[in-house]
Amino acid sequence: MIPLREITQDLFHKKTRIILTIFAIAWGTFSIAITLAIGEGLRLNFARTMANAGENLLTITPGTSSNEELKLTKRDIDIIATLPNVASVTPQYKFTPQLRYHDRIIYYSEFYAVTPEYATIHHAQVRLGQRFISAFDLKQKNSVVVIGTKIADKLFAPGENPTGEIIYIDNRPFMIIGVMQKKPQMHATEIPDDWLNWIPASTYELLNNPQKVDAIEISYKDIKMLAQTKNTIQKVIALNHGANPNDANIVNFSDLEKDQEKTNKFFIGMQIFLGIIGGLTLLIAGIGIANVMYATVARATRKIGLQMALGATTRHILAYYISESLAATVIGGVIGMIMTVLAVYLIRLIPMQGKIIEYIGKPEPVLSFFVLAIVITVLGIIGFIAGLLPAIKATKVDPAEALVYE
């Protein structure tokens, strides 16, 4: 077994040089760890905000058939709902009426007319003690509405409970049954829930007698069957409208899972880039360790020759100097990780506000197992190589010449 005390004494023989080298290792470790932690935090945060828009969500919008826009209908929805891989389905009527509460008016507000399944598909949650649109509302065609948090802020005073109040949508009275909970949300084809309002689809149909559905949203059970499900939906809609079943232009699909996968790949690529930058800093520190180890070998030439004359093997010499290099790397790495943990803690304390934070949530660095595994692996490789090259030089010492070496 290699004596730890002997390794430490040799390592710190030239204190200034090794201390500066260990500091360089610590700084390199900090650089790669904090950049990877920031990248990991951004990746996980964007994944959460996109997931808030829904899980296994597929949005179907009309395309064209014979150069004319195809009109989705309730019959399309009824058939799609029977498909084996479809868990939930809801129509989506979009409209932008005037909204009024007493003398407070919002001239342009986004509304969706939907069914209760919308809440399941989009993970929509209202405030405690309130509710979303129910099956009863849909059956009775009730004039009820759920409003977004930003709309509630514009129409009601802070602390005022909007539930049960009557607001006017294009001069028609609707009773507020819920306010959507605030949540970070980001999806390229969706308006954040904070700015949306919802009424029962049946009520909208009663009042407006629409001839088409603006979009159909479904949540599917198995992503492995998604391609087959899309193909079946395309054929079903084509048959309902007398279009060519093989014409991919008749419907458009927006797959949230695919968008999430693209975002995840982007941030993994960004982490690799950041890791390379941090790794270069660590590599420079590794060169410093190698220089220290070369100096140690040169200083200990006579000692090495004596050890080899007394029967020390090449394996023993290699292990000794690689252990010295790894010891310096471990000391610097531990200091660097302590610096990283402290930096992560301080960054999380920084208050962040603004519209972008409302949409994506507060990004915070994350020291995940993935980050730690990469840092430890890189540290180990650099420490090993930094010690291996000087150690190989040590094994080539000629014992006869070393014994007369000054």
Side-chain angles (χ1 to χ4, degrees), residues 9 121 134 146 149 164 214 239 242 251 258 277 286 300 316 319 341 346 366 388:
Q9 286 176 344
I121 293 171
S134 68
V146 176
T149 55
D214 293 311
L239 292 173
V251 288
K258 186 180 292 183
I277 294 174
H316 179 270
V341 171
L346 292 176
V366 175
L388 178 62

Side-chain angles (χ1 to χ4, degrees), residues 372-382:
L372 291 174
I374 290 179
V375 173
I376 292 171
T377 302
V378 173
L379 272 173
I381 291 172
I382 288 178

Side-chain angles (χ1 to χ4, degrees), residues 121-141:
I121 293 171
H122 283 271
H123 296 169
Q125 293 184 335
V126 295
R127 293 176 181 175
L128 187 64
Q130 303 174 8
R131 67 180 180 86
F132 194 70
I133 295 164
S134 68
F136 181 78
D137 295 323
L138 198 70
K139 182 178 180 180
Q140 296 297 319
K141 301 180 176 60

